[in-house]
Amino acid sequence: MTVTRIREIRTLRGMTVRQLADHSGGSSALISQVKRGVTDPSLETMRRIAGALDTPMFSLFQDGDDGRTVARFVLSVTPPSY
């Protein structure tokens, strides 16, 4: 699961949630929400988190147990306002 991988890599790098937020340009509240599974991060947020963790983005989607790549995508469409 993505949340588990972020935590694993963050811990391996010796980073706190605050440090990850600072390095990724996000807020610690957002990182905490992602960590708890309260919100699904955008691909841009995942890109920033991966960059802050100095790891390829695809590695955030790998299952740590057997290396399978797993992903869940959420498509949000906002209709144009005229």
Side-chain angles (χ1 to χ4, degrees):
M1 173 178 243
T2 304
V3 174
T4 304
R5 289 292 295 152
I6 291 172
R7 184 182 310 116
E8 287 173 356
I9 298 169
R10 180 180 59 79
T11 302
L12 186 68
R13 301 280 191 266
M15 295 176 81
T16 65
V17 171
R18 180 71 200 160
Q19 289 170 325
L20 178 56
D22 289 345
H23 286 90
S24 67
S27 68
S28 53
L30 174 62
I31 300 298
S32 180
Q33 288 174 350
V34 170
K35 181 177 83 167
R36 291 176 297 155
V38 173
T39 188
D40 290 315
S42 68
L43 286 176
E44 177 62 21
T45 299
M46 292 300 292
R47 186 187 67 75
R48 288 181 186 178
I49 289 172
L53 293 172
D54 193 30
T55 192
M57 191 165 91
F58 75 84
S59 70
L60 301 179
F61 297 99
Q62 288 183 320
D63 184 354
D65 294 336
D66 61 9
R68 289 182 302 136
T69 300
V70 294
R72 181 180 79 180
F73 293 95
V74 177
L75 178 62
S76 176
V77 178
T78 305
S81 57
Y82 298 100

